[in-house]
Amino acid sequence: MPRSSQPISSRPIRVLIADDHEVIREGLTSLFHDSAIEVVGEASDAQEATKLSRKLQPDVVLLDVRMGSDDGIEAIRTIRDEIGRAHV
């Protein structure tokens, strides 16, 4: 999916939320509802967060480093290596 050519200041900040608790994801999404932040995706584990980061190319990834048995730290490394401009 190609990124917008608009400067970040003139478009919403695109955020991916990754947490194994649905209520946390829903709460964060609702906090951003009427703001300049667009939640572009939600992930319930580190593997899904990595996959969605590749696909959606978010500006920011909010990631819980302790999601069950998943290694959130390794997901952060992978996302930063593959999508260097994303803030994790």
Side-chain angles (χ1 to χ4, degrees):
M1 173 181 290
R3 301 252 331 144
S4 171
S5 60
Q6 294 177 318
I8 196 164
S9 61
S10 65
R11 63 176 176 80
I13 298 170
R14 302 173 76 249
V15 176
L16 171 67
I17 298 172
D19 195 290
D20 55 338
H21 294 93
E22 184 176 1
V23 72
I24 299 296
R25 294 191 314 270
E26 289 174 355
L28 288 169
T29 299
S30 71
L31 282 174
F32 300 135
H33 180 67
D34 289 326
S35 70
I37 297 172
E38 175 187 8
V39 177
V40 295
E42 296 181 20
S44 60
D45 60 42
Q47 184 177 23
E48 185 179 17
T50 303
K51 179 181 174 182
L52 286 175
S53 292
R54 288 180 188 123
K55 178 181 176 184
L56 300 172
Q57 300 285 304
D59 299 313
V60 176
V61 179
L62 294 177
L63 186 136
D64 180 1
V65 296
R66 291 185 179 195
M67 292 187 280
S69 62
D70 283 351
D71 186 356
I73 300 298
E74 187 58 37
I76 290 170
R77 287 185 186 117
T78 301
I79 292 167
R80 289 190 60 108
D81 287 349
E82 293 183 12
I83 309 169
R85 56 158 187 65
H87 299 281
V88 186

